[in-house]
């Protein structure tokens, strides 16, 4: 009997894929999809989230001015250290905007996150002392605050009316040229944890943009999802919900699954897919690769703490981390309920039974529950109050955890909106 030759299994061509699985659909938009997108844009405009050209140009000018100040400071530091003139002349320096501004999905009046990259011989302490003082001397700079003990150390300020968060990282070289490619994983080799976290603010943002098939539709869909999350009170990493990076990764994964879809379709598919998603199956834009630089990488098979994560959304740059590790049982239930509501509304929009404004209606927190706990904070000065509120907000999720462990509490929901209290006769 003649033996049949077995055909080896075909290996799928993944060269055109975005993401770790093939697209769910590569269908092009139909006329109805484009009409729905136009209506979505009209509603977003009515909500005032887009900046005009003058405001965008102002942001660009502010970033350039800050980079110029940073470069001047680096040269001044070289001179104060009596370094050779050739080192001073070539020290360079660069500022990389990241976060929602770099993604192109920031809202009107939003702050700018920016990474300052300096040479290896300048310590972080010098950035938080010497550069802080240089910023303080600028008449355009207001409300400066150095938060060195934060998970990612940051200088917060307002510059020409724009809120800025500056983080610092040094790289293992004597100069920082304008064309430096910090997406190269070798830049995180052998540096301290704070520098890795600071660098990854930009690296993660840039990797998200490079891993979506259509940046324009991604940005528009992300603007819609961010507005929805803020209106529904589920936009806060610190308080146990999701922050900007997590929402961006979730939208980017839908963009990968529907590479040719219109922005309105991406929004409806966002709610459809995540309404069915079985957490804790993780969301990833790329496969995890451990470069072996002895940095912690998210791996639930090895790390017990990672196995406890309820809603893993993994960052795309090395070392890959879960961006939602603050999510609790309560906040996950609230997010899922809001996604379910979003799915119901977007299905009605597809059937022309509802309009986009319904999706963005605000939730009335004070009418939702029977029992409430109020936290009241008082301070002698405005500056002390800012720091006191910041400290308390960083601890609230622990209170939620304690409440969840009480068998009489089925759900603990934090209101993300704080309310200013009364002032005394001295204005305190």
């Amino acid at each position: 009997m003649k033996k049949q030759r077995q055909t080896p299994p075909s290996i799928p061509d993944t060269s055109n894929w975005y993401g770790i699985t093939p697209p769910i659909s590569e269908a092009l938009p139909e006329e109805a999809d484009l009409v729905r997108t136009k209506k979505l844009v009209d509603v977003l405009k009515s909500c005032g989230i887009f900046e005009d050209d003058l405001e965008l140009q102002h942001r660009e000018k502010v970033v350039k001015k800050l980079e110029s100040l940073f470069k001047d400071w680096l040269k001044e530091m070289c001179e104060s250290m009596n370094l050779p003139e050739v080192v001073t002349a070539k020290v360079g320096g660069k500022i990389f905007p990241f976060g929602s501004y770099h993604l192109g999905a920031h809202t009107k009046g939003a702050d700018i996150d920016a990474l300052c990259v300096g040479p290896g011989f300048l310590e972080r302490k010098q950035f938080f002392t010497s550069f802080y003082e240089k910023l303080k001397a600028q008449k355009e700079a207001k409300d400066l605050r150095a938060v060195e003990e934060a998970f990612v150390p940051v200088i917060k300020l307002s510059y020409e009316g724009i809120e800025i968060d500056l983080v610092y990282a040094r790289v293992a070289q004597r100069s920082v040229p304008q064309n430096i490619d910090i997406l190269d994983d070798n830049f995180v080799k052998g540096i301290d944890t704070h520098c890795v976290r600071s660098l990854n603010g930009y690296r993660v943002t840039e990797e998200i943009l490079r891993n979506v098939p259509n940046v324009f539709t991604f940005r528009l869909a992300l603007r819609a999802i961010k507005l929805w999350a803020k209106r529904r009170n589920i936009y806060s990493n610190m308080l146990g919900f999701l922050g900007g990076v997590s929402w961006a990764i979730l939208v980017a994964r839908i963009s990968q699954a529907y590479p040719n879809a219109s922005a309105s379709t991406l929004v409806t598919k966002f709610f459809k897919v995540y309404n069915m998603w079985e957490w804790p199956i993780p969301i990833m834009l790329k496969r995890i690769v451990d470069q072996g630089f002895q940095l912690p990488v998210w791996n639930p098979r090895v790390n017990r703490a990672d196995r406890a994560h309820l809603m893993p959304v993994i960052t795309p740059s090395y070392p890959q981390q879960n961006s939602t590790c603050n999510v609790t049982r309560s906040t996950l239930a609230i997010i899922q309920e809001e996604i379910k509501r979003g799915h119901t509304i977007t299905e009605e929009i597809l059937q022309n039974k509802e309009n986009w404004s319904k999706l963005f209606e605000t939730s009335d927190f004070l009418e939702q529950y029977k029992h409430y706990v109020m936290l009241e904070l008082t301070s002698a000065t405005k500056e002390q109050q800012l720091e006191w509120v910041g400290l308390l907000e960083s601890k609230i999720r622990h209170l939620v955890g304690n409440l969840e462990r009480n068998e009489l509490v089925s759900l603990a929901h934090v209101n993300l909106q704080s309310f200013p209290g009364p002032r005394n006769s001295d204005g305190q």
Side-chain angles (χ1 to χ4, degrees):
M1 182 174 154
K2 191 174 179 184
K3 197 173 180 182
Q4 282 192 333
R5 237 173 111 191
Q6 286 190 336
T7 307
S10 60
I11 299 172
D13 177 19
T14 62
S15 58
N16 295 320
W17 290 0
Y18 283 85
I20 60 176
T21 58
I24 294 173
S25 170
E26 295 182 279
L28 295 170
E30 296 182 359
E31 182 67 24
D33 300 318
L34 300 177
V35 170
R36 276 190 290 272
T37 298
K38 170 69 167 60
K39 290 179 179 178
L40 174 61
V41 171
D42 289 343
V43 170
L44 293 176
K45 284 180 178 177
S46 73
C47 294
I49 68 168
F50 294 104
E51 287 187 317
D52 59 34
D53 289 341
L54 282 176
E55 290 168 315
L56 287 170
Q57 288 167 15
H58 180 52
R59 282 179 179 272
E60 290 169 4
K61 286 178 183 176
V62 164
V63 171
K64 285 180 181 176
K65 286 181 181 180
L66 287 170
E67 184 170 76
S68 179
L69 280 171
F70 181 61
K71 287 180 174 180
D72 290 346
W73 173 72
L74 291 177
K75 286 185 177 179
E76 291 164 9
M77 292 301 294
C78 290
E79 290 167 358
S80 70
M81 297 166 73
N82 294 318
L83 296 178
E85 286 185 16
V86 65
V87 175
T88 303
K90 293 185 176 182
V91 68
K94 189 162 176 65
I95 284 186
F96 293 91
F98 63 97
S100 61
Y101 175 61
H102 184 58
L103 285 172
H106 64 284
T107 54
K108 191 181 181 75
D111 63 1
I112 296 176
D113 299 305
L115 163 68
C116 304
V117 180
F121 56 81
L122 281 179
E123 301 280 349
R124 171 173 287 98
K125 190 68 183 173
Q126 294 167 300
F127 178 80
F128 279 94
T129 51
S130 176
F131 187 57
Y132 177 86
E133 290 301 320
K134 185 175 181 68
L135 288 170
K136 201 173 181 180
Q138 310 303 311
K139 66 179 185 298
E140 302 92 342
K142 311 287 183 190
D143 303 325
L144 270 82
R145 191 156 58 102
V147 191
E148 289 186 71
E149 304 307 314
F151 185 73
V152 181
V154 60
I155 292 177
K156 292 178 171 286
L157 72 152
S158 171
Y159 195 92
E160 291 188 3
I162 295 177
E163 299 294 321
I164 310 285
D165 282 2
L166 295 176
V167 301
Y168 176 75
R170 53 184 186 147
V171 292
Q173 49 191 50
R174 287 192 303 177
S175 64
V176 181
Q178 280 298 106
N179 63 350
I180 187 171
D181 179 18
I182 59 171
L183 289 187
D184 184 341
D185 288 341
N186 286 307
F187 278 113
V188 299
K189 185 178 182 179
I191 62 174
D192 67 80
T193 307
H194 284 132
C195 280
V196 173
R197 291 171 186 160
S198 296
L199 284 172
N200 266 11
Y202 171 78
R203 282 159 52 86
V204 166
T205 307
E206 182 63 21
E207 283 284 4
I208 291 171
L209 289 174
R210 294 189 184 200
N211 279 277
V212 294
N214 186 319
V215 171
F216 177 78
T217 54
F218 161 73
R219 283 174 170 160
L220 191 51
L222 179 57
R223 284 182 181 275
I225 294 301
K226 286 180 65 173
L227 178 62
W228 161 78
K230 289 176 180 178
R231 291 282 179 92
R232 303 306 297 176
N233 253 342
I234 54 173
Y235 191 101
S236 173
N237 176 54
M238 184 187 295
L239 295 177
F241 293 97
L242 272 58
V245 168
S246 303
W247 290 118
I249 294 170
L250 289 175
V251 175
R253 186 68 188 104
I254 300 300
S255 299
Q256 292 178 338
Y258 299 91
N260 300 319
S262 66
S264 63
T265 299
L266 292 181
V267 173
T268 57
K269 295 299 185 185
F270 175 93
F271 290 109
K272 183 176 183 178
V273 170
Y274 294 125
N275 187 52
M276 298 185 297
W277 197 259
E278 295 182 8
W279 302 104
I281 297 173
I283 293 294
M284 294 185 285
L285 301 181
K286 298 167 61 179
R287 295 203 181 278
I288 293 176
V289 177
D290 190 343
Q291 300 288 12
F293 296 165
Q294 305 304 310
L295 292 169
V297 172
W298 187 81
N299 188 343
R301 288 176 294 183
V302 175
N303 307 317
R304 177 182 286 184
D306 293 346
R307 288 198 289 275
H309 293 166
L310 302 175
M311 190 183 182
V313 178
I314 310 305
T315 56
S317 63
Y318 176 79
Q320 295 85 353
Q321 301 289 307
N322 177 23
S323 63
T324 62
C325 53
N326 290 341
V327 169
T328 69
R329 177 173 53 79
S330 290
T331 53
L332 175 59
I334 294 160
I335 292 167
Q336 288 177 311
E337 192 60 34
E338 288 297 341
I339 288 174
K340 182 179 178 181
R341 171 189 174 271
H343 175 54
T344 300
I345 293 171
T346 49
E347 286 299 304
E348 290 174 345
I349 291 171
L350 288 176
Q351 298 165 29
N352 295 317
K353 294 178 180 178
E354 196 52 86
N355 56 50
W356 287 107
S357 57
K358 178 74 174 178
L359 181 68
F360 304 116
E361 286 181 357
T362 55
S363 59
D364 191 347
F365 181 82
L366 298 178
E367 295 293 328
Q368 282 181 261
Y369 303 104
K370 188 176 180 180
H371 302 288
Y372 292 86
V373 174
M374 184 176 76
L375 303 176
E376 186 174 329
L377 288 81
T378 56
S379 301
T381 66
K382 180 183 175 183
E383 290 74 21
Q384 286 177 353
Q385 185 73 354
L386 276 173
E387 292 192 19
W388 182 209
V389 169
L391 176 64
L392 182 87
E393 285 181 342
S394 70
K395 306 294 183 185
I396 285 180
R397 70 176 187 275
H398 302 301
L399 171 63
V400 170
N402 288 332
L403 290 170
E404 285 179 341
R405 284 189 283 275
N406 188 317
E407 60 183 20
L408 299 178
V409 177
S410 59
L411 189 81
H413 187 175
V414 179
N415 185 15
L416 305 189
Q417 310 302 319
S418 57
F419 303 97
R423 295 175 177 268
N424 62 21
S425 57
D426 298 326
Q428 295 179 340

